[in-house]
Amino acid sequence: MFKLSVGPIIGHTTTNHTRIFLRGNLKKNNPAFAGIRYRRAGDTDWSNSLFTALTPLRDMSNVIALNNLSSDTQYEYQAGWFTTGSATHSQETLKELPLQWPTEIYRFRTTSSQATTPRSYMVGSCRYLRMTLGIPSLPSKGDKIYSAVYRLAQKSSPPASAFIMTGDQVYVDDMNIVAPDREYKDILSKYRAAFSQPHIQELMASLPTYMILDDHEIEDNWPAKANNDTTLYRNAITAYEIYQASHSPVHELTPDGQPDRTLKHYWYQFSQGDLEWFVTDSRTRRNLSADDRRILDTEQEHSLLEWLINSPARVKFVVTSVMLYPDSKSQDNDAWKGFPEQRLRILETIRHNKIKNVVFITGDVHGSLTCRLRHSQDPDFEVHTLVSSPLCNSAWLPYAKASTFILDRPLMQTPTGDYHLQLTSAVVSQDNFAHMIVGTEQIQVDYYDPNGKVLQSAHIPLHNNLS
């Protein structure tokens, strides 16, 4: 067997289940397969091997789900790929092949079944990896921060449950002014390069990753500047589905326990104990028409509001790749500032239903901060946002500063009162990532630089009485 060309990537993981992305290579058009075997850490015997076919249709990649696992347990696994002379193999006949597994052993941990146990998460967005003639330029710069994320995840107490990646994991348009990529093969090449650098590969092989796209997975400020380039969109979104959506909860499981390839939308939900996440697609479902301007489509908004109202979760995290608040002073209207009616509907739903412990997780702006939102006539209303961006900035792009945002007047004014915001941290204006520890009384947020040094800390209070 050969070492994987991309991966393994640990995706959606629960108390008894995980999904693992694997990619091989095309070799003389021979039928290709990827395989996994696993065991509990400390055991000597491996499980029966699991295999999946690799085809050019999915860029020689696939996802294998492991089921019937034990909760809060560390597992070891090996993964690789190989070719055969026949494409008609079954799981049973593949098991009979004399395969020599790659020597590297990877590890992951399933989530705890204890509802109220503290949990921690790594959060980040906007990793710029410049490509020149198809080759990464200074790849170590774009990969360095993942080493710090990995080291912290390994020693985190409580153990890190996931890495939440809120957008711009890949810059399809990194050379947009000079030579924008729009061909499928070029976009796939960027994903392979971005996800196969040594530090991000080490991290994603062990820590469950949850991803959602933003504009640079397609084009800067898409769709406002789309120019009806359907070829670019089709190619970019197909690559996104292969490398980011494939191992996410958006794919339901078939009766045999493997991910169904049917894909209705990109937004999804997942839960861990008494914490729940709603990861929105705030990019591809936009409506820019003047009579019904919205950043989330009708179905997604309805699902989000229904979840906010009815979910019994103690803490509800809403991921949006662009900022809900504070608003930027810029005039591009790419974030929620440009969709005030829908933003107000969401905030008013939270306020009228007295929903507590709602935290918006976001990135995009190349600056990090925490911020609290309150209402002038409703002392019970309070929501928070945590912004983490960028993992690696481009030399061409500025960092956000406090002066970037509108902080001296209400976010929104309504007949029943005004929404006022207040920064609860300084604005980090350098490459960084966030470590979030969710306890019983508060969320501790620590921002780290690419060397693993703490830049600043903040705390988000939690309300224990949810009645």
Side-chain angles (χ1 to χ4, degrees):
M1 297 178 76
F2 303 104
K3 181 179 174 64
L4 296 171
S5 59
V6 181
I9 299 173
I10 299 287
H12 178 46
T13 300
T14 69
T15 57
N16 61 1
H17 165 91
T18 193
R19 306 174 185 198
I20 305 179
F21 172 96
L22 316 102
R23 182 183 185 272
N25 262 322
L26 188 63
K27 192 173 183 181
K28 298 181 179 179
N29 291 320
N30 290 330
F33 298 86
I36 286 178
R37 63 179 185 177
Y38 64 98
R39 64 190 179 193
R40 292 190 192 210
D43 288 354
T44 56
D45 295 332
W46 292 103
S47 68
N48 290 329
S49 303
L50 296 173
F51 300 99
T52 188
L54 307 178
T55 68
L57 183 64
R58 301 191 61 80
D59 195 35
M60 303 305 292
S61 75
N62 217 323
V63 175
I64 293 178
L66 310 185
N67 298 297
N68 301 314
L69 305 176
S70 299
S71 65
D72 198 16
T73 300
Q74 188 175 68
Y75 283 87
E76 300 176 338
Y77 70 102
Q78 290 178 300
W81 73 281
F82 58 95
T83 60
T84 72
S86 171
T88 60
H89 276 293
S90 65
Q91 288 284 333
E92 296 306 315
T93 59
L94 288 170
K95 291 175 185 176
E96 297 172 359
L97 297 176
L99 299 174
Q100 183 174 352
W101 290 82
T103 57
E104 186 160 8
I105 295 177
Y106 306 99
R107 293 172 178 83
F108 71 91
R109 179 177 290 275
T110 52
T111 61
S112 170
S113 60
Q114 299 297 314
T116 59
T117 188
R119 300 174 194 268
S120 76
Y121 300 90
M122 324 303 285
V123 182
S125 66
C126 307
R127 183 277 196 101
Y128 184 84
L129 183 69
R130 178 177 172 180
M131 302 279 285
T132 303
L133 299 177
I135 300 173
S137 304
L138 298 175
S140 60
K141 181 180 185 296
D143 192 43
K144 179 180 179 179
I145 198 166
Y146 294 108
S147 176
V149 178
Y150 176 78
R151 293 195 308 270
L152 183 59
Q154 293 299 301
K155 67 180 184 181
S156 173
S157 180
S161 295
F163 187 17
I164 311 300
M165 307 173 80
T166 68
D168 295 342
Q169 281 70 250
V170 171
Y171 278 66
V172 167
D173 61 342
D174 64 331
M175 296 291 283
N176 197 46
I177 298 175
V178 180
D181 279 331
R182 62 193 299 274
E183 299 303 323
Y184 186 50
K185 63 180 180 60
D186 296 324
I187 296 172
L188 289 175
S189 178
K190 288 191 171 179
Y191 270 97
R192 294 174 202 148
F195 286 1
S196 62
Q197 300 303 312
H199 294 311
I200 191 174
Q201 192 279 325
E202 180 181 47
L203 172 66
M204 295 198 301
S206 64
L207 183 63
T209 57
Y210 291 84
M211 307 177 182
I212 193 65
L213 80 167
D214 197 19
D215 54 341
H216 292 289
E217 271 90 355
I218 307 168
E219 182 182 30
D220 184 33
N221 280 10
W222 194 93
K225 300 179 180 179
N227 298 321
N228 296 317
D229 191 342
T230 56
T231 298
L232 167 62
Y233 178 76
R234 182 179 65 250
N235 292 337
I237 213 66
T238 301
Y240 169 77
E241 291 177 0
I242 292 173
Y243 281 93
Q244 297 198 53
S246 63
H247 44 81
S248 80
V250 73
H251 291 280
E252 297 181 356
L253 296 179
T254 61
D256 66 353
Q258 295 303 311
D260 188 339
R261 289 302 170 204
T262 304
L263 193 59
K264 299 177 182 178
H265 49 69
Y266 300 139
W267 48 270
Y268 58 86
Q269 302 173 37
F270 69 97
S271 63
Q272 295 185 340
D274 59 1
L275 315 179
E276 292 189 6
W277 294 75
F278 193 113
V279 181
T280 68
D281 171 10
S282 52
R283 186 55 65 178
T284 75
R285 295 297 187 99
R286 297 186 177 204
N287 186 340
L288 303 182
S289 63
D291 58 341
D292 187 29
R293 187 173 173 85
R294 56 175 55 245
I295 200 167
L296 309 180
D297 59 287
T298 303
E299 178 190 6
Q300 186 177 182
E301 180 185 347
H302 175 77
S303 295
L304 173 61
L305 297 183
E306 185 177 56
W307 171 78
L308 283 168
I309 295 169
N310 296 321
S311 167
R314 181 174 63 92
V315 185
K316 300 175 183 180
F317 295 104
V318 182
V319 176
T320 168
S321 59
V322 294
M323 289 182 66
L324 189 78
Y325 70 89
D327 286 339
S328 169
K329 293 178 181 177
S330 70
Q331 301 300 313
D332 61 20
N333 285 329
D334 184 59
W336 283 87
K337 172 188 173 184
F339 304 83
E341 294 85 1
Q342 189 173 47
R343 177 169 65 178
L344 182 60
R345 288 197 298 270
I346 293 171
L347 294 176
E348 289 284 84
T349 296
I350 295 171
R351 188 172 73 85
H352 287 306
N353 289 276
K354 299 187 181 302
I355 304 169
K356 305 299 183 184
N357 299 339
V358 178
V359 182
F360 290 88
I361 308 292
T362 188
D364 181 53
V365 295
H366 293 212
S368 293
L369 58 93
T370 61
C371 190
R372 176 176 56 217
L373 188 67
R374 286 177 166 167
H375 191 273
S376 62
Q377 303 302 314
D378 189 344
D380 292 332
F381 173 83
E382 181 177 282
V383 300
H384 292 263
T385 190
L386 183 160
V387 184
S388 182
S389 167
L391 291 161
C392 180
N393 204 5
S394 164
W396 298 349
L397 299 173
Y399 291 98
K401 304 182 291 293
S403 59
T404 303
F405 306 107
I406 301 172
L407 303 171
D408 59 351
R409 60 178 182 266
L411 177 73
M412 307 190 82
Q413 295 178 294
T414 74
T416 58
D418 301 339
Y419 284 94
H420 294 274
L421 56 86
Q422 178 186 12
L423 289 180
T424 52
S425 75
V427 177
V428 177
S429 302
Q430 66 178 85
D431 292 356
N432 71 94
F433 67 93
H435 182 215
M436 182 175 70
I437 299 177
V438 187
T440 56
E441 297 181 354
Q442 68 176 15
I443 301 172
Q444 178 178 330
V445 182
D446 297 308
Y447 289 102
Y448 290 81
D449 73 6
N451 294 314
K453 178 184 176 182
V454 177
L455 296 170
Q456 73 163 329
S457 299
H459 299 87
I460 298 173
L462 296 176
H463 299 268
N464 292 320
N465 183 6
L466 302 183
S467 60

